Amino acid sequence: QVQLVESGGGLVQPGGSLRLSCAASGSMFIIQNMGWYRQAPGKERDLVAIISRRGNINYANSVKGRFTISREDAKNTVYLQMNSLKPEDTAVYYCNMRIISGVYEYDKWGQGTQVTVSS
């Protein structure tokens, strides 16, 4: 069974930066897409950024030019570098990985990490 563990959230002032990490552990699996989503209070969970195994990347328009997603397959880890943070970036951030294990293919979610942007 694959498990995801997120880290890196916290409180930051507007204009500041944070780096989120999400590492997968388990055995005998490969990861296709890796992505980050966020959910603000009272709102739906929305895509922030996604990176394919080939390195193709898509960002939400609201974070383009400020956030950078990357992956390190040797460590089964995805990162989200967030710069120039704004109060509207405040949300719980969830990582997502598309897992292939044998004949099974499924989505796995991290536990979520709170990001609060406030002065």
Side-chain angles (χ1 to χ4, degrees), residues 22-77:
C22 176
S25 62
S27 62
M28 300 181 66
F29 65 94
I30 61 173
I31 305 170
Q32 292 289 12
N33 294 340
M34 296 181 176
W36 289 95
Y37 293 72
R38 67 185 181 187
Q39 188 168 19
K43 295 188 177 181
E44 296 184 350
R45 188 175 299 186
D46 293 324
L47 176 68
V48 175
I50 190 166
I51 181 168
S52 74
R53 188 167 180 82
R54 294 185 176 183
N56 297 319
I57 293 173
N58 282 299
Y59 294 103
N61 288 333
S62 59
V63 306
K64 283 181 180 177
R66 300 188 297 123
F67 290 12
T68 301
I69 189 171
S70 61
R71 61 188 286 167
E72 189 172 357
D73 288 326
K75 294 184 177 181
N76 293 322
T77 299

Side-chain angles (χ1 to χ4, degrees), residues 104-118:
Y104 301 104
E105 185 172 345
Y106 58 94
D107 284 322
K108 190 71 178 181
W109 291 91
Q111 81 278 12
T113 186
Q114 177 70 46
V115 171
T116 302
V117 184
S118 175

Side-chain angles (χ1 to χ4, degrees), residues 5-12 17-22 36 80 82 85 93 111-116:
V5 177
E6 299 182 30
S7 60
L11 173 64
V12 64
S17 298
L18 282 175
R19 189 191 194 210
L20 306 183
S21 300
C22 176
W36 289 95
L80 186 68
M82 305 185 292
L85 283 161
Y93 283 70
Q111 81 278 12
T113 186
Q114 177 70 46
V115 171
T116 302

